[in-house]
């Protein structure tokens, strides 16, 4: 498959940005700790408000004791394909910060925005390593919080499925195989305006 059959850019950019896409077809193969920690390292270097770095990553590798619990808190529709990932990574973000000025813990407005930047770094680094990612917002937050022991001052953002892509998609149920192709984007003109917010 050529990515350019599915995704045409309007301006010149590095291929990395269109070649990262979220397949649901994972091979079920394991990845090494070196591979896993390289994608996490890339996430570590994301920018954040005040350099607070509110993101936290809790992972379970396939066949690890925690794997069934991670898989278990995904919505059923996501579990159908995510069971072939090599790792599931719960991304949380700290919602408060202490500025050290005696005001105690104060809300950290950018915690989710910052976590999104970390996810993006992670996903692009994975792509550079020949690995695939798919973010999963469809999971049971209460169950994830309980199973993983996430404290109340951390928000649950997403679960990230990470693994080797399955090029022929043989492990995917038929209905998912058909729709497992790179998607498109809105035109830039629908997203960008000069001077004033002027969108339909
Ligand atoms: C916050 C967030 C939540 C998502 N939740 C799900 C999900 O629950 N299940 C799923 O299959 N895909 C999920 N996705 C994947 C998106 O559908 C996908 O990223 C989007 O269609 C863009 O496609 P691309 O990543 O291939 O470019 C989620 C993505 C994000 C960023």
């Amino acid at each position: 498959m050529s990515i350019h059959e599915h995704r045409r850019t309007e301006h010149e950019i590095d291929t990395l940005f269109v070649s990262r896409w979220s397949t649901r077809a994972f091979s079920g193969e394991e990845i090494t700790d070196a591979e896993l920690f390289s994608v996490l390292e890339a996430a570590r270097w994301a920018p954040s408000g005040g350099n607070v770095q509110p993101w936290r990553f809790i992972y379970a590798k396939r066949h690890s004791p925690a794997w069934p619990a991670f898989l278990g808190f995904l919505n059923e529709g996501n579990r159908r394909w995510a069971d072939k990932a090599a790792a599931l990574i719960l991304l949380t973000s700290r919602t408060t910060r202490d500025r050290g000025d005696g005001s105690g813990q104060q809300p950290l407005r950018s915690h989710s925005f910052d976590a999104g930047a970390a996810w993006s770094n992670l996903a692009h680094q994975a792509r550079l390593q020949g690995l695939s990612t798919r973010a999963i917002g469809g999971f049971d937050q209460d169950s994830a919080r309980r199973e993983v022991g996430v404290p109340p001052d951390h928000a649950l953002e997403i679960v990230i499925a990470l693994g080797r892509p399955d090029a022929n998609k043989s492990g995917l149920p038929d209905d998912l195989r058909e729709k497992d192709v790179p998607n498109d984007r809105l035109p830039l003109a629908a997203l960008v305006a000069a001077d004033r917010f002027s969108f339909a």
Side-chain angles (χ1 to χ4, degrees):
M1 177 202 72
S2 160
I3 196 73
H4 300 290
E5 287 167 29
H6 298 275
R7 294 181 153 182
R8 296 226 167 81
T9 59
E10 297 176 28
H11 297 268
E12 210 171 297
I13 56 170
D14 194 284
T15 309
L16 175 64
F17 297 101
V18 285
S19 65
R20 182 222 54 83
W21 69 282
S22 303
T23 185
R24 294 182 184 84
F26 292 97
S27 70
E29 293 164 277
E30 304 207 2
I31 57 170
T32 65
D33 279 351
E35 289 175 302
L36 173 62
F37 280 90
S38 284
V39 305
L40 293 167
E41 176 71 20
R44 181 163 83 98
W45 288 100
S48 60
N51 199 22
V52 168
Q53 305 158 65
W55 43 71
R56 299 290 181 270
F57 303 90
I58 308 97
Y59 71 88
K61 286 176 87 172
R62 200 179 165 76
H63 305 309
S64 73
W67 177 260
F70 275 62
L71 210 52
F73 56 66
L74 301 187
N75 291 358
E76 202 181 323
N78 288 319
R79 211 178 301 139
R80 290 177 74 207
W81 55 267
D83 64 347
K84 301 262 181 352
L88 292 170
I89 306 169
L90 176 65
L91 170 53
T92 70
S93 66
R94 196 187 163 106
T95 58
T96 60
R97 74 180 296 193
D98 185 349
R99 290 176 182 275
D101 59 3
S103 60
Q105 292 291 336
Q106 297 296 320
L108 179 60
R109 203 169 70 94
S110 63
H111 67 93
S112 282
F113 185 83
D114 297 340
W119 143 248
S120 179
N121 271 22
L122 184 157
H124 288 97
Q125 177 62 32
R127 168 64 201 158
L128 289 170
Q129 294 175 213
L131 300 175
S132 288
T133 52
R134 189 170 179 104
I136 302 173
F139 67 98
D140 183 330
Q141 294 234 348
D142 293 340
S143 158
R145 188 178 286 283
R146 200 173 47 246
E147 295 283 355
V148 182
V150 181
D153 60 349
H154 284 69
L156 292 100
E157 302 287 356
I158 48 168
V159 178
I160 300 165
L162 169 71
R164 288 191 214 294
D166 172 13
N168 61 29
K169 306 182 195 296
S170 52
L172 268 186
D174 290 347
D175 57 322
L176 292 182
R177 193 180 309 127
E178 278 162 27
K179 60 179 186 181
D180 198 61
V181 286
N183 54 19
D184 203 355
R185 291 297 186 268
L186 297 169
L188 205 53
L191 308 173
V192 181
D195 303 333
R196 278 189 67 78
F197 189 100
S198 50
F199 301 102

